[in-house]
Amino acid sequence: MTHEEKNAWIRGLAAVVSYAVYLVLVLGRAGGRPLAEVPYTATLLWTIGASIAAAIVLSIVAAVVSKDGEKDQRDREIGRFGDHVGQAFVAIGAVAALLLALVEAPHFWIANTVYLAFTLSAVLGSAARISAYRRGFQPW
């Protein structure tokens, strides 16, 4: 497994775990009241920060342990492919958040839509990279 594939696994898993932790914490605080009234800001920021920090640390550890060579052309093309897949979900999330803002939805729903879009972007971009490494990749 190349270092870039390991990074794809790390980023995808970090996104899934951090979002799951966020959901458990926020839903646990609801206690029967509407979700839009649940305090979420600090939890959202901490889980995003923890996810980024964990991905960086794990990526450094993987680089030290694996000692793989430099990125080659195939790694760069697979990286671009994963980025394109992920960016599609950022755009979808941005449109959804914009629509929520236009209908004056509570900030809770707008923020959670953006967070979900970023999570889906990371997970699906990573899945696209992993699939390209595992099943082969043919640039068009």
Side-chain angles (χ1 to χ4, degrees):
M1 183 182 310
T2 68
H3 178 65
E4 294 303 314
E5 184 179 354
K6 289 175 190 171
N7 277 340
W9 279 103
I10 289 167
R11 285 190 297 263
L13 290 174
V16 168
V17 169
S18 67
Y19 193 73
V21 167
Y22 172 76
L23 286 178
V24 167
L25 292 173
V26 169
L27 293 175
R29 288 185 190 145
R33 63 182 160 170
L35 284 176
E37 296 175 8
V38 175
Y40 69 94
T41 308
T43 306
L44 184 134
L45 294 174
W46 277 105
T47 55
I48 291 171
S51 176
I52 292 168
I56 290 170
V57 169
L58 291 172
S59 180
I60 291 169
V61 169
V64 169
V65 171
S66 68
K67 298 182 182 182
D68 283 338
E70 297 279 326
K71 275 191 197 180
D72 61 9
Q73 182 63 26
R74 181 174 178 261
D75 288 328
R76 285 188 282 279
E77 289 177 4
I78 289 173
R80 269 193 299 274
F81 171 67
D83 289 343
H84 287 269
V85 171
Q87 287 172 358
F89 286 91
V90 170
I92 291 168
V95 170
L98 177 64
L99 292 174
L100 287 171
L102 290 174
V103 298
E104 298 179 3
H107 291 146
F108 174 88
W109 295 113
I110 297 169
N112 280 282
T113 298
V114 172
Y115 189 18
L116 178 62
F118 283 135
T119 300
L120 288 175
S121 172
V123 170
L124 296 172
S126 293
R129 285 181 183 89
I130 292 165
S131 176
Y133 278 111
R134 296 292 170 139
R135 296 199 172 137
F137 179 71
Q138 295 295 327
W140 297 81

